[in-house]
Amino acid sequence: DGPVSVAYGLKKELLEIRAKYPAPASFQYIHREASVLREKEIQQACHPSPDSDVCGWVMATADPNGAYGGDHPDNEEDRMNLKFDNFRLVFQCVSGTALLHWASEEDFKIGIFGARRAPRALAWWDLRKAYDVVVQRGDENFDIAAGQFTILMYGGNLSFSVEGDQDIPIWYNAVRGVIRDAAWHQATKAEQPEQQRKRWHAAMGLARALLNGRPIGTRALAVTFHLYDTDKDCVFRLGEIMLLIKEVYAAMIQDTGLAEGATMDLALQSASSRIPTELLFEKALIFRRQCDQSNDGRISKGEFAAFGHQALLEAVTI
């Protein structure tokens, strides 16, 4: 019935099966507008700031001289098909929230768009599992690499080195930007007005104690810990620390009686203007380093009760 389809004779292929989250684009859903808004939030979380869209050659080693190269004692070329040169050069890029290594720039240009028969990345890591990045400058009289990067992740550390001084701030800001955006999204993705109002009472109590110089009791810190543990995993991560600092600072604005803190919403808006996201993230990193005695990227309830008061006092001081 009708002309022959242009698809006649093509082989059937299954490319992908996945859910269209959170709801199909159908007008039959009552809360369709909320679903579309939620989908936009997810898309923004998966596409970090433009500063994180970088790529370039790096040395896939923690040794700033690439001493192992292709003569690694584990014979990685035979076992893992990794054909490194003596400097272990790979083409690295940040794609969304992933860090990828490619064998060459040509493989990257062809494979980054996901063509079916295009080259694949040698390795990739999920930067949403990272919580800090450390840079160590190389010795200009001895080391080939200008800087060595160590990305601290919940499952271990990832190291790479860059050869040029100009590349250090580019990669540093790119990795930090992904960690910052992912942490904030993780803490606020399930945000509800009722939860925020519950936290606000605790934030007001903490703000009054800090402004008056009173000590914060262990019980109050324990209640605060559970209120700001948004994912209910019994540990504090970077995004939850950022949320705590922002809301306590907003509560301090309201407690001073200024017009910009007349309501909770106005106080939060004022706090956002006074503490930009980058500064808030920096304060959260310092907070985590002060409280996280095990240095595993997570703050336990006991660590928060022991060190949270002093760390919070320093974080809200601008």
Side-chain angles (χ1 to χ4, degrees):
D1 54 337
V4 179
S5 171
V6 294
Y8 177 78
L10 294 181
K11 295 176 61 177
K12 295 181 180 180
E13 295 180 353
L14 180 60
L15 299 181
E16 185 179 15
I17 297 178
R18 63 184 176 92
K20 187 172 182 180
Y21 186 82
S26 173
F27 292 96
Q28 66 180 351
Y29 290 92
I30 299 176
H31 304 290
R32 180 176 179 275
E33 293 182 359
S35 298
V36 172
L37 179 62
R38 177 72 180 131
E39 188 172 358
K40 291 181 179 179
E41 293 177 356
I42 295 174
Q43 291 176 351
Q44 292 175 358
C46 295
H47 295 81
S49 59
D51 294 338
S52 300
D53 188 13
V54 298
C55 61
W57 290 98
V58 301
M59 300 166 61
T61 175
D63 188 341
N65 292 295
Y68 293 118
D71 299 327
H72 195 280
D74 288 342
N75 198 7
E76 58 195 5
E77 181 174 348
D78 293 339
R79 293 194 308 110
M80 303 177 64
N81 196 31
L82 297 178
K83 299 177 176 59
F84 287 134
D85 58 13
N86 290 332
F87 299 107
R88 299 175 67 86
L89 290 176
V90 295
F91 196 83
Q92 179 172 276
C93 76
V94 177
S95 178
T97 58
L99 184 73
L100 291 85
H101 283 178
W102 301 83
S104 65
E105 185 174 359
E106 291 73 20
D107 288 356
F108 161 74
K109 291 180 179 179
I110 300 174
I112 191 63
F113 298 104
R116 293 184 58 241
R117 293 179 176 84
R120 296 292 185 259
L122 297 175
W124 52 90
W125 293 267
D126 188 356
L127 292 181
R128 292 174 297 181
K129 298 180 180 179
Y131 58 88
D132 206 347
V133 56
V134 179
V135 180
Q136 182 178 357
R137 289 277 186 172
D139 187 345
E140 60 180 9
N141 297 321
F142 177 75
D143 295 330
I144 297 176
Q148 173 193 343
F149 285 74
T150 303
I151 303 176
L152 308 181
M153 309 177 75
Y154 296 121
N157 297 338
L158 171 64
S159 298
F160 66 90
S161 303
V162 295
E163 297 185 64
D165 287 325
Q166 69 278 6
D167 295 331
I168 294 178
I170 296 176
W171 283 109
Y172 182 72
N173 293 329
V175 175
R176 272 176 59 104
V178 176
I179 298 174
R180 178 195 64 225
D181 296 342
W184 182 251
H185 173 71
Q186 180 66 25
T188 59
K189 64 180 181 180
E191 182 75 347
Q192 297 293 334
E194 295 79 8
Q195 297 174 346
Q196 190 176 54
R197 283 194 291 269
K198 290 180 181 179
R199 295 197 307 265
W200 185 249
H201 294 293
M204 287 296 299
L206 294 175
R208 293 191 183 100
L210 294 175
L211 288 173
N212 297 329
R214 299 196 311 267
I216 302 175
T218 304
R219 182 180 179 85
L221 289 173
V223 172
T224 302
F225 180 86
H226 289 293
L227 286 173
Y228 282 90
D229 181 19
T230 57
D231 55 3
K232 307 303 178 185
D233 60 351
C234 295
V235 291
F236 264 3
R237 303 176 192 268
L238 282 177
E240 294 159 336
I241 300 172
M242 294 170 66
L243 189 64
L244 172 64
I245 296 173
K246 176 183 176 180
E247 292 191 354
V248 171
Y249 187 78
M252 294 175 68
I253 295 176
Q254 187 178 81
D255 194 65
T256 56
L258 298 176
E260 58 183 326
T263 64
M264 180 185 70
D265 293 335
L266 288 176
L268 290 172
Q269 292 178 8
S270 178
S272 298
S273 62
R274 293 190 184 190
I275 309 180
T277 305
E278 182 59 33
L279 178 59
L280 183 63
F281 179 66
E282 183 65 33
K283 288 180 173 293
L285 287 175
I286 297 174
F287 190 106
R288 199 274 307 168
R289 293 166 187 164
Q290 290 178 330
C291 296
D292 183 14
Q293 299 301 299
S294 58
N295 197 29
D296 60 353
R298 307 175 181 91
I299 299 176
S300 66
K301 184 177 179 180
E303 291 172 335
F304 181 71
F307 307 101
H309 182 190
Q310 184 63 30
L312 185 59
L313 180 62
E314 295 180 14
V316 297
T317 303
I318 299 180

